[in-house]
Amino acid sequence: MFDFTSVDLLDAFTSELRLCKVTDGEHVVVLSEPGSRGDYVAAAFGAAKSLGARVISATVPGGSPAPMPSTHTGAGPGLSSVLDDTAAQDLLKSADLVIDLTQEGFIHAPVQQEILKAGTRIIFVCDAPDVLIRNLPREGDKDLVVREAELLKKSQVMRVTSAAGTDLTVQLDGSKPEFQTGFADDPGRWDHWPSTMVLCWPEISDGRILLAEGDILLPFKEYVRSPVTLHVAGGHIGKVEGGAEARMLETFFEDADDQWARSLSHMGWGLMRSADWFATAMYGKGDLMGMDARAFAGNFLWSTGPHPVLGRESYAHLDIAMRGCTVTVDGTEVVSGGALTER
Ligand SMILES: [Fe+2]
């Protein structure tokens, strides 16, 4: 049997690596684990080689330190085999670009910061093939997310409201705004294909979050069926009220046995206009990480658990994507009723 799927993906991976500014003679490491998609490893390897890079495919043992199953959750705890092996880390630090094809990536593993400090660029790829292709980034996407990150940097307060009843006030001081643009072009940059979003890491937020029917709970990859009210004080979640999903979230917080499980983490809004809200409904859970939901243009994305800016290490990471919110940053409306504003 011939492997046509990797060849079919070669154009997309080559376009992606061009955006990552892979140049002749650069060192590219394709990082995988036994559970990674073989067609992605082959396509990444072939694309890097076709651009003149010196490419190494490194497959390390699977197994993560996180207590939850590695099912493309997005928690990014890294692989134990890399976290415990300085030779593997040195290989990644010596690369110009790492194409991370592991199932969870390393975004919330502190070792990733060490690798980035060496100047290595990392692009993480985890979603299904047509999700990657439909959301293939364009160079100009970066201007937009940089603009939004700059707005957050110079602002003091973000306010999120919705017709469903959300009313959250977020203090932006010290919240280290950043962006994802779907490609890793600058030295020391991590990014995720696909993604187009802006986010920050606030410490203090107060008010209430009302999840409406159709909002998306990640990593469960489930739509909210029954409204949920979460009461937030000082950046922590108190009472959770509602039906089945409220009970599910409350149980998750309890079972996590994690001091940061009820603490808010990153929050921001999506700018990926090609994203499909129904992708979560159309794929098997093992096929997706869920970047269509996370980066959907005009969503409000918030999360719980790990908070690198405050030094909180946690595996209890939820990402929750909401439609229909209005997001205002120091009086500038950036999202109006779930749609990006024209500015
Ligand atoms: Fe997250």
Side-chain angles (χ1 to χ4, degrees):
M1 190 66 167
F2 298 110
D3 176 9
F4 280 93
T5 55
S6 57
V7 179
D8 207 29
L9 290 165
L10 196 57
D11 286 351
F13 272 82
T14 304
S15 298
E16 173 64 23
L17 295 194
R18 281 207 180 95
L19 287 166
C20 292
K21 296 209 170 103
V22 171
T23 53
D24 199 40
E26 272 202 326
H27 296 272
V28 172
V29 171
V30 181
L31 180 67
S32 60
E33 62 183 301
S36 297
R37 292 185 61 128
D39 51 352
Y40 284 18
V41 174
F45 189 94
K49 193 165 179 294
S50 75
L51 293 172
R54 297 169 188 270
V55 59
I56 296 172
S57 175
T59 305
V60 297
S64 126
M68 60 170 58
S70 287
T71 52
H72 308 294
T73 64
L79 291 167
S80 300
S81 55
V82 172
L83 303 179
D84 298 341
D85 184 352
T86 54
Q89 293 166 24
D90 288 345
L91 172 67
L92 302 178
K93 285 177 191 170
S94 72
D96 296 298
L97 176 73
V98 172
I99 306 171
D100 181 355
L101 301 178
T102 62
Q103 298 198 81
E104 296 290 354
F106 289 76
I107 188 170
H108 295 306
V111 75
Q112 180 164 281
Q113 292 307 317
E114 283 178 40
I115 294 164
L116 295 173
K117 269 188 206 140
T120 300
R121 322 192 290 285
I122 303 176
I123 185 70
F124 177 52
V125 189
C126 191
D127 265 288
D130 41 351
V131 173
L132 303 182
I133 291 165
R134 172 165 41 78
N135 296 308
L136 195 63
R138 292 163 306 171
E139 207 166 349
D141 295 343
K142 190 174 174 185
D143 296 338
L144 193 56
V145 289
V146 166
R147 184 190 76 173
E148 301 300 72
E150 291 302 320
L151 174 66
L152 281 172
K153 276 180 198 165
K154 67 182 188 194
S155 300
Q156 300 298 309
V157 176
M158 175 165 69
R159 179 123 187 276
V160 185
T161 57
S162 72
T166 297
D167 191 347
L168 188 72
T169 301
V170 181
Q171 307 302 325
L172 295 173
D173 203 27
S175 69
K176 295 257 168 67
E178 57 187 72
F179 61 84
Q180 294 179 11
T181 192
F183 52 90
D185 54 349
D186 297 323
R189 173 150 191 83
W190 177 93
D191 216 299
H192 191 167
W193 174 29
S195 186
T196 318
M197 68 164 76
V198 66
L199 63 138
C200 59
W201 302 89
E203 179 175 10
I204 304 298
S205 42
D206 294 279
R208 60 179 185 270
I209 298 172
L210 267 286
L211 303 182
E213 293 99 329
D215 289 340
I216 297 177
L217 304 176
L218 301 157
F220 311 130
K221 303 167 192 168
E222 301 272 1
Y223 294 89
V224 171
R225 304 283 174 188
S226 179
V228 180
T229 304
L230 300 111
H231 297 271
V232 177
H236 304 283
I237 296 167
K239 202 153 70 168
V240 183
E241 299 170 298
E245 285 77 25
R247 182 74 194 122
M248 186 183 191
L249 291 175
E250 192 61 70
T251 305
F252 177 82
F253 295 144
E254 285 168 19
D255 285 4
D257 193 22
D258 183 311
Q259 64 175 321
W260 306 120
R262 304 183 82 98
S263 300
L264 296 185
S265 175
H266 62 82
M267 54 179 80
W269 62 95
L271 293 115
M272 195 158 77
R273 293 183 189 273
S274 50
D276 183 352
W277 195 254
F278 289 92
T280 305
M282 300 300 287
Y283 291 87
K285 291 190 183 190
D287 297 328
L288 281 189
M289 202 190 110
M291 291 312 291
D292 276 303
R294 285 181 174 88
F296 187 87
N299 77 2
F300 172 59
L301 181 76
W302 62 277
S303 67
T304 60
H307 197 309
V309 174
L310 298 176
R312 295 175 181 167
E313 290 188 32
S314 166
Y315 294 124
H317 189 52
L318 297 173
D319 283 315
I320 298 184
M322 299 169 64
R323 297 283 293 269
C325 293
T326 293
V327 182
T328 306
V329 179
D330 268 10
T332 300
E333 207 169 81
V334 293
V335 174
S336 179
L340 293 173
T341 57
E342 299 298 333
R343 310 202 313 282

